[in-house]
């Protein structure tokens, strides 16, 4: 038996991966992760459940808004 145990991937690891690819060159991985986490908690507060597809849609909206704000600040 080994002492090493791997952490279970978050249920949103695939969502983060998709969004990191989609927003590469626009947002850092850290920003994507924070948006996914915020979307997760927001969905839980509003609906009581945070299905990955809902979290992905919310996080994508956050990332679009952040990109818009960044472009306006130029």
């Amino acid at each position: 038996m080994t002492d090493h145990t791997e952490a279970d991937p978050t249920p949103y690891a695939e969502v983060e991966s998709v969004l990191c690819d989609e927003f590469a060159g626009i947002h850092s991985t850290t920003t994507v992760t924070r948006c996914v986490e915020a979307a997760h908690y927001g969905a839980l507060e509003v609906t009581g459940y945070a299905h990955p597809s809902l979290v992905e849609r919310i996080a994508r909206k956050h990332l679009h808004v952040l990109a818009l704000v960044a472009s306006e600040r130029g």
Side-chain angles (χ1 to χ4, degrees):
M1 186 160 101
T2 64
D3 292 331
H4 176 71
T5 58
E6 288 187 35
D8 290 334
T10 68
Y12 308 111
E14 186 174 330
V15 169
E16 286 185 35
S17 177
V18 166
L19 293 175
C20 280
D21 289 346
E22 185 175 332
F23 289 93
I26 300 168
H27 296 302
S28 69
T29 302
T30 302
T31 299
V32 172
T33 299
R34 283 195 321 243
C35 285
V36 169
E37 289 171 355
H40 164 80
Y41 290 112
L44 281 177
E45 282 187 27
V46 173
T47 67
Y49 184 68
H51 190 275
S53 65
L54 177 59
V55 170
E56 182 177 349
R57 288 193 319 262
I58 295 168
R60 182 175 283 112
K61 296 275 187 191
H62 289 177
L63 292 163
H64 279 294
V65 168
L66 289 174
L68 178 64
V69 168
S71 72
E72 288 179 354
R73 287 183 182 169

